[in-house]
Amino acid sequence: MAKDQTPFGGGPGNVDPREVLQELWRDLGRARHATGWILLGIVGISLAVSSYAQVEPDEVGVITRLGRFTTTVEPGPHFRLPFGIDQIIKVPVQRQLKAEFGFRTENTADRTTYAATSQDMTRESVMLTGDLNVAVVDWIVQYKIKDPYKYLFKVKNVESMLRDISEASMRAVVGDHSVNEVLTTGRQQVADEAKLALQELADRYETGVDIQQVVLQDVNPPDPVKPSFNAVNEAIQEKERAINEAYAELNRVIPRAKGEAEETLQAAQGYAIDRVNRAKGEANRFASIRTEYTKAPDVTRRRMYLEAVQKVLKQAGPKVISDESQKGVTPLLHMEGIALTPAVSAGTAEKALGGDKSQ
Amino acid sequence: MKSSGIALVGLGLLLLLAWSGTYTLTENEQAVMTRFGEPVGEPISSPGLHLKMPFADTVNRFDKRWLDWRGDPNQIPTKDKKYIWVDTFGRWRIVEPLRFFQRLRDERNAQSRLDDIIDGETRNAIASFPLIDAVRTSNRAFDDDEYMAKAEGDAAEEPVSIGRDRLTRQIRDRAAAVVREFGVELVDVQVRRINYVDEVQLKVFERMISERRRIAERSRSEGAGRAAEIRGQRERELKSIRSEAYRKAQETTGRADAEAAAIYSDAFGKDVEFYQFLTTLEAYPTAIDRSTSLFLSTDSEFYRYLKSSQK
């Protein structure tokens, strides 16, 4: 009240302070009227703004009243108590979230590019295998928020915790596999086991996160060792090649030999058939001839003999016929003079004659 | 007018009182009340609106959530004298805020105490077991190809005696017992990373390279061995196929010869003399040709009639 009086209190007492006050109050009232409306407008707008919230389709809204969790709300428009009494925290429960280890995707706009590997990323991916070797494993973890309450209120720095437990569980699993399994045959198994281990840890720490997938990306031996791993692969190829070549040679030779063997067998069978048939034929012929022969042995015998001799003499060379009873030179008989050239026949005859003479 | 002014002031005072006499806790907070510095009442952990003595009481808020602790990567020798970097992390929370408040005051202090305690226990645990126990969890056999597996005569790897899980649990148990008196519950200590220190790493790489070289040589030699084996098999099969064919051919022809002989002897045996006669007669034309000279006697059956027609 004293403040109100001071500006006017300096003058003589002709002014009634009460009137002044009333006048002031009226002025104030008018002013208040205008600013009141403005104030009311501001209050109204801020009321509207702070009591309306919109939850996007891939989110749920977690509502806390004076700090206490009350409910979660589905996507759509929502009203709440204004002025920070009700807080709404939007959690993307439908969104597939991803954490990368050992590499970082930098840009997925038109072509995926990766950030240059830093010292820290290398540390993420270098790990010891169960046979105390070293492997470099890059992997990703895909997860969804399944429990927004836990996700928000149970753990401080959920994201960094997830990274920690991902690294720990991946290393625990890789630590129980040999470098060879991690690099080749056991990849899927490693990923599966890591997923289980990670989910278990995530549940134990009440992160409210559902691990969807653990996918191994590049799995390599450390750079200095890479060439020797490649050398092993080459050696394996070489081994396969040596074996294949040997088999090729085998396949080239054996079927042919089998064919040749079959040829020999067939030929032998042919010979056998031939031999037996001939024998049978000859035997039958002999039997037939003999049957006739036995009917008239003497005549047949003579006939056969004479026929044979005729045939022989017809084709034989020079012939000398001697008569034992004459004890001398037998007159020469050219049975087949026409068949011999005179010189030869004469020569042979003379020779024969001479030979005979010398006896 | 005076009354409205007083009302305004009263309202202001009331608001101030309400402001000072209440406080809210969020879902992730808990609090210890102190009145002029002296703790009063039980710690409060339920979220929402609470009352307190205006102006006199102070709310000391603490986190109720799982908090993370990250160890300093440490160079530690294992029991088998291998130097490794061990990087650990842990999860803890404030379970007795009052005690925590009294002993440690705030999280930053707590972190540094946890550093001392857990790092120490980690060092102890790692140093009292061989490296394999910090790396492996179980003694599961590796599912390696035969030529990938260790060659015979290799130094057998030490079996896992307690394994990674139990090793970290041991660190956790020992450290947890110590930090309990700070009102802190340590739920887990995990090894995030283990790595060889650089000098050891070089040695390990060398070993890996020689190991790979050995595997490569073995594979190559196995290839050559298998190839030789296949060549031998080829030779064997070849010999067996050919000799078998020869044997069968001989048997077949032999049987045929025998059969033929039987047929001949069967047929000809009935009249040996006639057989000889016939065969001899048949043999003459083939045995005698133009180059053969014959000395014949008129005594012969054929020529006898040259001399005489007598019977």
Side-chain angles (χ1 to χ4, degrees):
Chain A
M1 302 298 118
K3 207 167 82 183
D4 285 332
Q5 282 172 337
T6 30
F8 312 96
N14 57 348
V15 183
D16 183 6
R18 205 170 286 176
E19 269 177 35
V20 174
L21 207 68
Q22 271 173 353
E23 205 172 318
L24 198 73
W25 190 249
R26 269 198 301 279
D27 287 353
L28 206 70
R30 269 198 298 279
R32 214 173 40 185
H33 201 63
T35 51
W37 278 114
I38 291 166
L39 269 174
L40 208 70
I42 290 169
V43 168
I45 287 167
S46 66
L47 196 78
V49 166
S50 69
S51 63
Y52 174 79
Q54 185 175 326
V55 178
E56 300 299 325
D58 58 350
E59 303 170 331
V60 294
V62 173
I63 294 175
T64 58
R65 178 162 299 163
L66 291 173
R68 177 189 283 273
F69 167 79
T70 51
T71 184
T72 60
V73 292
E74 295 301 309
H78 290 283
F79 291 95
R80 50 179 175 154
L81 293 182
F83 306 127
I85 296 169
D86 275 5
Q87 298 271 0
I88 185 160
I89 309 165
K90 295 170 197 170
V91 182
V93 287
Q94 297 293 333
R95 213 175 297 161
Q96 173 108 225
L97 304 166
K98 187 169 102 169
E100 296 172 327
F101 297 87
F103 69 104
R104 299 286 183 277
T105 307
E106 207 168 43
N107 178 16
T108 49
D110 30 65
R111 230 185 67 225
T112 309
T113 56
Y114 299 98
T117 317
S118 72
Q119 181 86 21
D120 200 50
M121 281 185 227
T122 316
R123 289 222 184 93
E124 267 173 11
S125 53
V126 172
M127 50 188 84
L128 263 62
T129 58
D131 46 3
L132 300 185
N133 287 324
V134 179
V136 182
V137 182
D138 291 354
W139 77 100
I140 59 165
V141 174
Q142 289 181 332
Y143 60 96
K144 269 187 179 174
I145 299 162
K146 66 176 172 189
D147 187 338
Y149 176 78
K150 281 185 181 169
Y151 184 79
L152 289 175
F153 302 126
K154 284 294 186 182
V155 180
K156 192 176 178 182
N157 300 335
V158 184
E159 306 292 324
S160 94
M161 156 107 82
L162 270 176
R163 291 197 70 84
D164 285 351
I165 59 177
S166 297
E167 283 199 37
S169 45
M170 180 55 78
R171 275 179 173 73
V173 172
V174 167
D176 234 6
H177 286 77
S178 72
V179 66
N180 195 50
E181 287 175 316
V182 175
L183 290 174
T184 55
T185 52
R187 281 181 63 121
Q188 193 53 48
Q189 201 189 344
V190 168
D192 292 347
E193 283 179 27
K195 183 188 169 213
L196 288 180
L198 178 53
Q199 183 67 67
E200 206 247 79
L201 275 179
D203 289 344
R204 201 200 297 174
Y205 291 157
E206 300 184 282
T207 53
V209 156
D210 183 36
I211 306 300
Q212 307 259 299
Q213 250 187 333
V214 171
V215 184
L216 293 193
Q217 306 286 312
D218 282 351
V219 181
N220 283 314
D223 280 338
V225 189
K226 250 185 207 164
S228 58
F229 270 82
N230 291 338
V232 169
N233 288 338
E234 273 166 34
I236 291 168
Q237 296 303 318
E238 227 168 273
K239 172 184 170 174
E240 301 296 323
R241 203 186 62 224
I243 292 170
N244 284 339
E245 277 172 5
Y247 270 122
E249 180 67 11
L250 180 98
N251 291 343
R252 196 173 65 76
V253 168
I254 295 302
R256 181 178 169 171
K258 280 187 179 150
E260 285 170 355
E262 191 59 25
E263 182 190 5
T264 311
L265 279 179
Q266 293 291 344
Q269 274 163 9
Y271 167 85
I273 290 163
D274 176 74
R275 189 93 173 85
V276 170
N277 279 339
R278 275 170 191 276
K280 279 183 182 158
E282 283 170 30
N284 290 344
R285 174 168 169 266
F286 177 78
S288 306
I289 294 169
R290 196 177 146 267
T291 313
E292 290 312 310
Y293 170 79
T294 47
K295 286 179 187 162
D298 197 40
V299 169
T300 311
R301 199 176 171 92
R302 276 163 200 272
R303 181 185 56 80
M304 285 168 74
Y305 172 73
L306 291 173
E307 272 174 17
V309 171
Q310 184 191 14
K311 208 172 170 185
V312 166
L313 290 177
K314 202 175 168 185
Q315 70 182 40
K319 301 159 195 84
V320 177
I321 302 161
S322 64
D323 189 349
E324 297 282 315
S325 60
Q326 293 214 341
K327 305 277 185 211
V329 179
T330 310
L332 269 162
L333 239 164
H334 284 249
M335 290 292 288
E336 296 286 330
I338 40 157
L340 295 165
T341 56
V344 172
S345 68
T348 19
E350 265 154 43
K351 230 198 255 171
L353 201 66
D356 212 39
K357 267 182 196 159
S358 67
Q359 271 189 338
Chain B
M1 286 307 98
K2 215 169 203 162
S3 63
S4 73
I6 289 165
L8 218 65
V9 171
L11 196 72
L13 279 175
L14 213 66
L15 269 174
L16 196 65
L17 203 68
W19 189 252
S20 171
T22 61
Y23 62 97
T24 59
L25 287 181
T26 64
E27 283 286 338
N28 49 35
E29 283 175 329
Q30 53 189 342
V32 171
M33 305 301 301
T34 49
R35 187 164 298 160
F36 302 115
E38 187 198 345
V40 285
E42 288 294 303
I44 297 106
S45 64
S46 60
L49 190 66
H50 296 276
L51 295 175
K52 66 182 179 74
M53 182 81 79
F55 310 113
D57 286 357
T58 314
V59 184
N60 303 279
R61 294 163 195 269
F62 299 101
D63 215 310
K64 209 166 64 176
R65 295 174 291 182
W66 294 113
L67 304 172
D68 61 347
W69 168 85
R70 268 200 190 188
D72 209 16
N74 246 323
Q75 192 177 329
I76 307 169
T78 59
K79 193 185 176 194
D80 46 353
K81 299 282 169 292
K82 286 173 181 150
Y83 278 83
I84 52 173
W85 286 103
V86 180
D87 185 353
T88 48
F89 70 89
R91 297 295 126 181
W92 60 282
R93 61 179 170 187
I94 303 161
V95 285
E96 295 176 70
L98 181 58
R99 193 182 281 235
F100 180 82
F101 180 55
Q102 286 166 334
R103 303 283 163 88
L104 297 170
R105 199 125 214 124
D106 57 24
E107 275 181 40
R108 190 139 40 94
N109 260 329
Q111 293 283 8
S112 98
R113 291 311 300 274
L114 285 171
D115 282 350
D116 299 343
I117 293 157
I118 305 176
D119 279 343
E121 288 300 340
T122 304
R123 196 177 287 273
N124 287 345
I126 294 288
S128 48
F129 292 102
L131 173 60
I132 194 83
D133 276 308
V135 174
R136 297 201 60 179
T137 310
S138 67
N139 267 317
R140 96 174 241 290
F142 299 136
D143 178 24
D144 282 350
D145 302 12
E146 22 91 38
Y147 52 80
M148 286 298 182
K150 297 250 164 196
E152 278 173 49
D154 272 3
E157 265 167 23
E158 276 180 81
V160 177
S161 68
I162 69 162
R164 190 188 186 111
D165 269 0
R166 281 161 64 194
L167 188 103
T168 53
R169 219 172 298 153
Q170 181 188 318
I171 300 172
R172 194 270 316 265
D173 289 346
R174 295 193 178 169
V178 180
V179 298
R180 200 166 295 136
E181 66 160 307
F182 303 133
V184 164
E185 182 193 7
L186 179 68
V187 281
D188 212 2
V189 175
Q190 293 273 332
V191 177
R192 193 162 68 117
R193 297 172 188 169
I194 289 183
N195 259 326
Y196 293 113
V197 301
D198 288 350
E199 308 88 79
V200 179
Q201 181 136 316
L202 284 180
K203 289 266 162 55
V204 170
F205 286 173
E206 274 167 29
R207 195 202 70 219
M208 286 176 81
I209 289 168
S210 65
E211 204 173 272
R212 292 297 122 181
R213 197 170 290 150
R214 195 188 60 194
I215 291 167
E217 284 310 322
R218 184 162 161 188
S219 157
R220 236 175 243 127
S221 138
E222 270 177 3
R226 280 285 294 144
E229 200 181 307
I230 294 159
R231 280 199 298 277
Q233 182 193 345
R234 187 194 69 195
E235 209 51 40
R236 179 179 60 80
E237 279 182 32
L238 209 57
K239 286 261 159 58
S240 120
I241 288 166
R242 284 182 178 159
S243 64
E244 185 142 336
Y246 181 77
R247 177 177 62 78
K248 282 192 182 149
Q250 289 296 311
E251 282 167 5
T252 308
T253 55
R255 264 198 305 276
D257 285 342
E259 195 182 339
I263 290 165
Y264 283 130
S265 68
D266 190 41
F268 302 153
K270 290 193 176 120
D271 194 339
V272 176
E273 197 281 330
F274 180 65
Y275 165 73
Q276 190 173 3
F277 173 68
L278 187 69
T279 313
T280 315
L281 284 188
E282 278 169 1
Y284 284 158
T286 53
I288 295 165
D289 63 4
R290 289 195 156 211
S291 61
T292 316
S293 301
L294 290 173
F295 285 85
L296 300 160
S297 167
T298 46
D299 287 347
S300 70
E301 190 106 357
F302 190 74
Y303 287 112
R304 60 188 268 213
Y305 294 110
L306 279 179
K307 245 169 84 180
S308 151
S309 66
Q310 274 178 354
K311 267 190 172 175

